Amino acid sequence: MRGPGLADSGHDDVLLAQIEAFKRRAPLLYFILIVNTVAVAVTHFSAAPRALTVYVPAAVIALIVVRMVRWQLRRHVQFSIEEARRNVRLTIVLGSLIGVALLVWALALYPYDLDTAKGFLTGHGHVVLFVGITVVSCVFLLMHVRAAALAIILIVVPPFCGYLFATARLVEIAIAINLLLVSGGMFYVVVTFCRDFEQMVRAKGELARLSQQNAELANIDAVTGLPNRRRFFAELYGVVTDSTGFAVVIGDLDGFKQVNDLYGHVTGDGVLKEIAGRLALVAPAGSCVARLGGDEFAILLRGAGLQDTAPQLCQRFIAACAVPVAVDHLTVHVGLSVGLSIAARDGNKPHDHYERADYALFRAKQNGRGRVELFSPAHEQAVRQTSRIEQTLKRADLDREIVMLYQPMIDACNGAVISFEALARWHSAELGEISPNVFIPIAERSELINALTRTVLRKALHDAAQWPAGVGLKVNLSVRDLTSSEQILSLMNIVRGSGVPAALVTFEITESIFADNLNLVQSSIAALKALGCSIAIDDFGVGYSSLSYIHHLAPDIIKIDRCFIADLCTDPVKAGIVKTVIELCQNVGARSVAEGVETLEQAEALRALGCSEFQGYFFSRPLAKESVTSFAVPAQACAV
Ligand code: C2E
Ligand code: CA
Ligand code: CA
């Protein structure tokens, strides 16, 4: 910041604020000048020559009126910075000229004294008063334009006071001293006022800039520079449903997590930036391309004819993302799955379309990734059905309606029953029999799954307490069970209070739980292990198989997904995978369980590969609790 001085600050905000302040005061300033001038001209009319009392004042007043009208007309005009600079300069020049004119005119009139009998004040007195009040008013009204205000003081006061001193009359000398003191005071006030004014304007500007920056940060995604989730929803809620039309596209990257895990977050961020750029490039003008979070993007398309164009556009988004991304000297491959909802005049709110697109995305992911799914009436039906099941499940008496079945795991060496997996069945009083493949994923969407898992564990342990000694129990856990420490504590308490040794209890978890919250999941698993329970990785091979997870979790058991077992005897690739997984289990000290063993041939092939245990229809379908004890017969001889 510059120190106080004659020159005005060149700061843009200050210039604009100065001209704004002056704009409002200019008409009043000119009005006061006119009144003061007319008053002196009238009182000196008879004593001084016409040139001084009529022509000069008339010319000055004409000039002032022109300026006054000009400012009056422009009082609502917003000046550009260039105009503001020009006008501030002009104000300084005109202010100085007015000062000179005032001084010269006052000095020219001073010798023409009036007949004191006509009033109590002499002509000299009126001129002094005129100079005094005019200078004070000018300085007061020009206060914001420091240079102009100070110029008037400096141009008028010292010469005028010099003139008064020169008269050598006591009254004039006293007035001159008075005037000098007052002017000195005004000089100081102007300088400090302007400094404070500048500071205030700059602070205001800084504040405006900060709040602008803040607003941007709150609406922009820091990684990609795209609008963020908040901004996307603001745009979405802003669309007028019945105007030109709109569509919501939600895209989720396929394989991004692996890139992040393998190469780290810096590379991951580079990929997100590149993908963001590609999506923005493909999106037509007027669309809003946003990053919702993680590897999820949303695009709000606007315009007519989207029924035809939006699906093609989605294909172009997918194609753009399928091109390998070069980042940090690496080339990485990701894909894009897309859910699309096109607004029709169906009375659905913008947010409904977001949810529909999100549902369609879920289906796109389920049906094989790298594709677009358009939200359809069939989806609408499925959503309704899901919500009906969810509502019914919420109200259900789980203790009564959930029934447990148990499927054995057979030792590959001797055919003995090692344990049973607890599989839930829901006999809904309202909806009838619902498959676990339907109600488990629905329960997993909310905390409903936690209550369900507790019920399952309680029931299964209650049944297992009756089984022959040494027969184990396997219970499935969901992500939400492992990401809630409260739930883990409840589960541990249920195990402790069951009378079944914790060493006989195994919790099955799928690889998908490693998608988020690895630390939380790890500490839950550590707590269960500390209690004495075992951990099995379920459906191995279909999720995010990562050797680092296996290393971190040190599972006791790995269950090879049944999709590898089905074609084991006909597909050498699948057989190779199974062989590798069994070897992996041997290397990390885990038992291998083959799921979905349906034929003797499969069992024999698996045994030859060194698989530890079998589970599947060939040995037994899931059994009712009454049949378990009779099934868990003593070990048969190893058939190999
Ligand atoms: P899962 O954990 O992979 O359970 C094995 C599923 O495979 C069971 O289906 C079982 O009946 C089926 N299965 C067993 N052997 C064979 C076979 O030889 N061939 C074929 N094709 N299928 C076989 P289910 O009981 O319908 O359960 C389906 C899924 O539901 C389970 O898959 C599990 O993910 C989930 N689930 C079941 N009960 C529970 C539970 O209590 N809690 C949780 N979180 N999930 C459960
Ligand atoms: Ca399981
Ligand atoms: Ca399984």
Side-chain angles (χ1 to χ4, degrees):
M1 150 146 280
R2 267 202 249 159
L6 260 181
D8 274 84
S9 154
H11 197 278
D12 290 356
D13 291 349
V14 177
L15 274 172
L16 287 171
Q18 280 178 327
I19 210 67
E20 269 310 306
F22 178 65
K23 208 159 71 176
R24 286 196 299 273
R25 288 166 177 79
L28 184 61
L29 168 69
Y30 290 130
F31 176 72
I32 291 171
L33 279 178
I34 292 171
V35 171
N36 290 0
T37 309
V38 169
V40 176
V42 168
T43 53
H44 286 74
F45 185 70
S46 52
R50 287 287 145 83
L52 284 181
T53 55
V54 179
Y55 306 132
V56 170
V60 171
I61 287 171
L63 183 76
I64 289 175
V65 168
V66 170
R67 294 293 304 163
M68 191 163 101
V69 170
R70 198 173 139 78
W71 277 111
Q72 188 63 22
L73 290 177
R74 303 180 74 192
R75 67 187 187 282
H76 298 304
V77 176
Q78 196 68 42
F79 285 108
S80 70
I81 183 66
E82 260 322 302
E83 285 172 322
R85 189 167 287 131
R86 219 178 26 248
N87 276 286
V88 165
R89 247 186 258 132
L90 195 63
T91 305
I92 296 168
V93 172
L94 279 178
S96 308
L97 285 179
I98 286 170
V100 172
L102 185 92
L103 175 73
V104 172
W105 193 52
L107 293 179
L109 282 177
Y110 204 82
Y112 300 99
D113 203 4
L114 307 175
D115 179 1
T116 47
K118 283 185 185 164
F120 71 96
L121 198 65
T122 64
H124 298 323
H126 194 180
V127 171
V128 168
L129 183 75
F130 165 71
V131 170
I133 59 170
T134 309
V135 167
V136 169
S137 344
C138 284
V139 169
F140 183 64
L141 290 165
L142 279 169
M143 194 85 115
H144 297 86
V145 190
R146 177 173 51 199
L150 297 185
I152 288 198
I153 297 177
L154 293 177
I155 289 170
V156 177
V157 177
F160 189 66
C161 289
Y163 181 87
L164 292 180
F165 277 123
T167 61
R169 288 192 292 263
L170 188 61
V171 176
E172 267 97 337
I173 291 172
I175 290 173
I177 292 171
N178 221 323
L179 208 54
L180 278 174
L181 286 176
V182 170
S183 303
M186 282 198 305
F187 195 99
Y188 175 75
V189 169
V190 169
V191 168
T192 50
F193 171 82
C194 282
R195 191 185 54 205
D196 295 348
F197 178 68
E198 274 182 28
Q199 258 168 8
M200 189 196 74
V201 171
R202 281 169 196 246
K204 225 171 109 182
E206 195 53 33
L207 196 71
R209 255 187 298 281
L210 281 176
S211 46
Q212 166 77 11
Q213 211 175 39
N214 213 13
E216 271 170 22
L217 281 179
N219 286 290
I220 297 284
D221 169 54
V223 175
T224 59
L226 288 180
N228 61 10
R229 188 179 192 90
R230 170 205 288 250
R231 171 79 187 283
F232 176 78
F233 282 106
E235 294 263 342
L236 180 65
Y237 297 144
V239 292
V240 184
T241 327
D242 56 359
S243 66
T244 39
F246 68 93
V248 178
V249 179
I250 305 183
D252 189 285
L253 293 183
D254 304 322
F256 177 73
K257 189 171 159 42
Q258 284 87 329
V259 171
N260 241 354
D261 289 346
L262 263 171
Y263 306 115
H265 288 274
V266 176
T267 306
D269 286 357
V271 172
L272 289 175
K273 250 183 253 171
E274 173 65 24
I275 294 292
R278 293 182 190 178
L279 294 177
L281 206 67
V282 174
S287 325
C288 171
V289 182
R291 178 175 170 229
L292 297 182
D295 57 354
E296 201 170 67
F297 294 86
I299 300 138
L300 176 66
L301 301 171
R302 297 185 177 97
L306 284 168
Q307 288 288 354
D308 300 324
T309 56
Q312 288 160 14
L313 251 170
C314 290
Q315 292 295 358
R316 289 180 55 206
F317 288 134
I318 291 169
C321 295
V323 177
V325 179
V327 56
D328 290 344
H329 312 294
L330 292 165
T331 303
V332 299
H333 296 258
V334 288
L336 185 75
S337 294
V338 169
L340 168 66
S341 176
I342 303 170
R345 291 182 186 184
D346 48 15
N348 281 302
K349 295 188 188 75
H351 196 266
D352 297 339
H353 289 287
Y354 167 77
E355 283 184 345
R356 290 165 156 223
D358 197 40
Y359 181 81
L361 169 66
F362 160 71
R363 297 300 286 255
K365 286 262 183 199
Q366 250 186 352
N367 295 344
R369 301 169 174 231
R371 52 196 300 281
V372 54
E373 188 90 27
L374 172 66
F375 189 86
S376 66
H379 291 150
E380 176 97 67
Q381 178 70 23
V383 169
R384 282 219 190 96
Q385 176 71 356
T386 301
S387 133
R388 188 157 168 246
I389 292 174
E390 188 170 11
Q391 294 312 316
T392 315
L393 191 59
K394 262 185 199 160
R395 291 193 299 267
D397 176 354
L398 295 179
D399 269 337
R400 215 160 49 96
E401 296 185 11
I402 294 293
V403 173
M404 299 312 302
L405 296 188
Y406 300 96
Q407 191 179 27
M409 252 128 292
I410 309 294
D411 190 321
C413 261
N414 56 19
V417 172
I418 293 180
S419 61
F420 286 92
E421 176 176 2
L423 295 162
R425 296 290 176 266
W426 179 26
H427 300 290
S428 165
E430 288 176 48
L431 305 171
E433 186 105 356
I434 311 277
S435 157
N437 290 319
V438 174
F439 75 84
I440 297 283
I442 292 174
E444 282 175 337
R445 299 193 324 178
S446 68
E447 275 153 24
L448 250 170
I449 189 67
N450 297 143
L452 188 71
T453 304
R454 290 195 298 271
T455 305
V456 164
L457 183 64
R458 220 178 281 119
K459 283 180 167 248
L461 283 167
H462 180 264
D463 294 342
Q466 315 301 319
W467 297 346
V471 175
L473 168 71
K474 290 193 165 63
V475 174
N476 293 285
L477 291 187
S478 297
V479 184
R480 276 179 195 270
D481 294 320
L482 289 148
T483 50
S484 154
S485 31
E486 230 183 327
Q487 172 76 350
I488 291 296
L489 283 177
S490 307
L491 298 180
M492 289 165 72
N493 283 334
I494 294 172
V495 174
R496 277 197 206 100
S498 67
V500 175
L504 286 179
V505 180
T506 301
F507 289 103
E508 297 194 1
I509 59 179
T510 58
E511 294 160 282
S512 64
I513 58 152
F514 305 126
D516 332 274
N517 282 320
L518 184 61
N519 289 341
L520 199 55
V521 167
Q522 252 178 315
S523 56
S524 300
I525 287 171
L528 294 173
K529 279 192 168 185
L531 183 66
C533 300
S534 303
I535 296 295
I537 295 194
D538 203 359
D539 307 338
F540 187 81
V542 291
Y544 303 99
S545 310
S546 162
L547 290 182
S548 72
Y549 295 147
I550 302 290
H551 173 70
H552 275 106
L553 294 176
D556 307 283
I557 295 162
I558 292 178
K559 296 181 76 176
I560 309 163
D561 192 77
R562 65 170 176 270
C563 70
F564 299 103
I565 311 301
D567 311 325
L568 178 72
C569 302
T570 49
D571 184 344
V573 176
K574 293 265 174 76
I577 293 173
V578 172
K579 183 170 181 278
T580 308
V581 177
I582 290 172
E583 281 166 8
L584 169 75
C585 292
Q586 287 161 353
N587 287 339
V588 299
R591 289 179 69 77
S592 49
V593 177
E595 295 185 319
V597 181
E598 295 185 349
T599 65
L600 177 64
E601 205 188 355
Q602 288 167 349
E604 279 172 349
L606 285 161
R607 193 179 289 135
L609 289 174
C611 183
S612 325
E613 298 173 33
F614 306 134
Q615 176 180 11
Y617 294 167
F618 175 69
F619 297 95
S620 170
R621 293 206 166 235
L623 303 166
K625 66 174 179 183
E626 297 77 19
S627 316
V628 169
T629 321
S630 57
F631 190 88
V633 288
Q636 297 149 19
C638 184
V640 175

